[in-house]
Amino acid sequence: MAAASQPWTSGVLATAAGDVAAGDIGAGTPVTGDAATAVQQWPQPSVLLIEDDAGDALLVEELVADSALKMRLQWVRSMAEAREALALETPDCVLLDLHLPDAQGLEAVSMVKSRADRVAVVVLTGLAEEETGLAAVAAGAQDYLVKGRVEPELFGRAVRYAIQRKQAEQAAVALQASQMQAQENARLERGLLPRPLLSSENVGVVARYRPGRAQALLGGDFYDIVQSADGSVHALIGDVSGHGPDEAALGVALRIAWRTLVLSGVTGPEQIGRLEEIMLAERAQPYVFATLTSLTVPAGARHVRLMRAGHPGMLLRTGDGRVEWVETAGGPALGVVPGVFRWPVEEVPLPPGSALVLFTDGLFEGHVGKGRARLGEEGLLGLAREMAGLAPEIFVDTLIQRAEDLADSQGGLADDVAVVHLQWGEDGIGEDG
């Protein structure tokens, strides 16, 4: 780069007056009052000057000394020296001559970006090289300075704006990456949510799922409904302790394992025992446990077979408009006393037109009022009885909304919530319609 005796002009800043906000410092304007204070309070940037001409380097040093924006300047004469400097410290900005002994033109920009892609780059050009400066900006530089008429304050502003633009670019890239990851996670989580596997139209299913953790589709709760080849309807609802991604993954593993066991014909306490073995192998921490209820309604039967592992009871909606609490004998939650197969199978009658409502404890553990009292099982049963005559979807949605409203003064329902409403037609339990 030829020696220069004049100040420099900023190509991008000089041609983009709209970038200059009210209160910014113009070229040649004395820095006083609030403007001077703002510049002084801006963090002192570190600048690496890559310039082989000692005269031009001296000119830059003078601009730095006279600028209101104080900066730490380091000077190297070649791209080889620049690589060594960048390996030791990452500056906030690089002032880059495009005519170095070991790098020419846009190649120099590419070499700097390959070594320090997060650093702002301001290219130094001659008066006849403005097109090269624009090309450098298109190639990734934040600005270019043309030897000409730039006063020290415009020089400082060019460096400051270049750093800010680079930071804005990085923030935009990070935001886009975060959005893409969130979308990918959402697609993955949606794919892991259960889809009832039913061959009979005589079984109506209404399911609602709401994770307790923000910005997630899956929590530690899980459920599933499967109809086996003999016409029996099987349902599962469960709750892994905790709310994080590890618990969500464990809940998915247990649900898929349960579906596999059902379709393989494994039922009764052996089924729960196999699930516990899987949970022990998959859980991230030794203190994690899971509660669940697994039920089966044989084809044509007027009863349901229930197994409970530390899980709360359920609601029975009868055809004549009553709502009752059903809680059979059960065994320990999975992982609490490993290896103890104590999960009795209990039978509960199902009158014609009945519906079973399964749920996790997040539905009734919200605090109500101003104290520490919770809605509890009795409170949930009372709410359900108030809306006993509602249609299934409205019943489930209203039940969740009422529980949420009661807990609203203390932050709402903080735990995962899963609700499954199973209803059979008047003409039979589990029979093909």
Side-chain angles (χ1 to χ4, degrees):
M1 176 173 161
S5 58
Q6 308 108 333
W8 311 43
T9 60
S10 170
V12 171
L13 292 177
T15 58
D19 284 349
V20 182
D24 279 338
I25 304 162
T29 304
V31 184
T32 59
D34 293 340
T37 301
V39 171
Q40 291 169 1
Q41 291 177 347
W42 206 74
Q44 187 181 80
S46 61
V47 177
L48 176 64
L49 171 63
I50 309 175
E51 170 61 69
D52 65 325
D53 188 286
D56 288 343
L58 178 60
L59 176 59
V60 172
E61 289 177 355
E62 292 174 351
L63 289 171
V64 169
D66 294 340
S67 172
L69 176 64
K70 300 308 176 185
M71 58 189 81
R72 295 184 294 110
L73 183 66
Q74 179 183 4
W75 173 36
V76 296
R77 294 173 178 269
S78 66
M79 190 60 66
E81 292 182 12
R83 283 194 289 265
E84 295 177 1
L86 290 171
L88 295 175
E89 181 184 0
T90 302
D92 296 300
C93 182
V94 168
L95 296 176
L96 177 63
D97 178 19
L98 293 183
H99 300 283
L100 299 170
D102 53 354
Q104 297 289 317
L106 299 183
E107 175 192 12
V109 178
S110 299
M111 293 176 71
V112 170
K113 287 178 61 65
S114 67
R115 292 284 177 173
D117 189 48
R118 300 177 65 83
V119 176
V121 177
V122 177
V123 167
L124 310 179
T125 71
L127 282 171
E129 298 177 313
E130 187 166 357
E131 290 186 2
T132 303
L134 290 171
V137 171
Q142 276 61 57
D143 202 349
Y144 67 94
L145 293 173
V146 179
K147 291 177 294 179
R149 298 179 180 179
V150 174
E151 298 297 329
E153 299 313 325
L154 185 56
F155 170 81
R157 189 173 67 183
V159 171
R160 176 160 56 97
Y161 276 19
I163 294 172
Q164 290 174 334
R165 273 196 295 273
K166 187 62 178 181
Q167 292 172 345
E169 289 173 11
Q170 293 171 341
V173 170
L175 177 60
Q176 184 180 19
S178 176
Q179 291 173 337
M180 290 179 65
Q181 183 177 15
Q183 292 170 358
E184 185 65 26
N185 289 343
R187 284 193 292 268
L188 176 61
E189 292 184 12
R190 275 194 296 270
L192 294 175
L193 288 172
R195 297 180 181 179
L197 182 59
L198 293 170
S199 59
S200 173
E201 297 180 358
N202 201 43
V203 182
V205 177
V206 176
R208 298 289 185 266
Y209 190 95
R210 198 204 68 177
R213 59 192 178 106
Q215 315 231 336
L217 295 177
L218 281 174
D221 289 2
F222 54 96
Y223 70 91
D224 206 350
I225 304 101
V226 173
Q227 189 166 22
S228 53
D230 64 0
S232 299
V233 175
H234 308 263
L236 170 77
I237 195 160
D239 182 0
V240 177
S241 59
H243 312 289
D246 288 337
E247 289 75 18
L250 182 55
V252 171
L254 292 174
R255 179 187 70 78
I256 294 175
W258 175 85
R259 178 176 283 206
T260 303
L261 290 168
V262 168
L263 296 177
S264 301
V266 179
T267 59
E270 181 184 1
Q271 179 192 91
I272 308 301
R274 295 290 173 264
L275 292 177
E276 183 176 60
E277 291 176 3
I278 293 170
M279 198 210 74
L280 295 175
E282 296 289 340
R283 64 182 178 182
Q285 300 293 337
Y287 52 79
V288 174
F289 64 91
T291 69
L292 63 83
T293 293
S294 180
L295 65 84
T296 301
V297 179
R302 295 290 183 181
H303 64 267
V304 56
R305 295 173 183 163
L306 293 169
M307 289 184 295
R308 291 195 313 116
H311 203 74
M314 64 188 69
L315 298 174
L316 172 64
R317 300 183 68 195
T318 61
D320 57 3
R322 291 179 294 112
V323 180
E324 304 295 339
W325 187 270
V326 176
E327 187 164 332
T328 60
L334 307 188
V336 175
V337 283
V340 179
F341 282 41
R342 285 201 317 266
W343 298 287
V345 179
E346 298 283 325
E347 289 190 0
V348 174
L350 284 179
S354 296
L356 291 172
V357 184
L358 293 75
F359 44 81
T360 53
D361 58 12
L363 184 61
F364 60 80
E365 286 197 338
H367 295 287
V368 296
K370 297 182 179 180
R372 302 305 295 167
R374 299 179 185 272
L375 175 62
E377 297 173 351
E378 289 293 331
L380 181 65
L381 177 59
L383 290 180
R385 284 174 170 168
E386 291 176 9
M387 56 191 75
L390 298 178
E393 288 197 12
I394 301 175
F395 175 89
V396 172
D397 291 337
T398 306
L399 187 64
I400 296 173
Q401 187 60 55
R402 289 287 302 278
E404 181 77 46
D405 291 343
L406 289 172
D408 185 64
S409 62
Q410 299 203 43
L413 301 177
D415 200 358
D416 303 328
V417 175
V419 180
V420 178
H421 186 289
L422 294 169
Q423 186 169 29
W424 288 265
E426 295 282 349
D427 56 341
I429 307 294
E431 294 178 347
D432 292 339

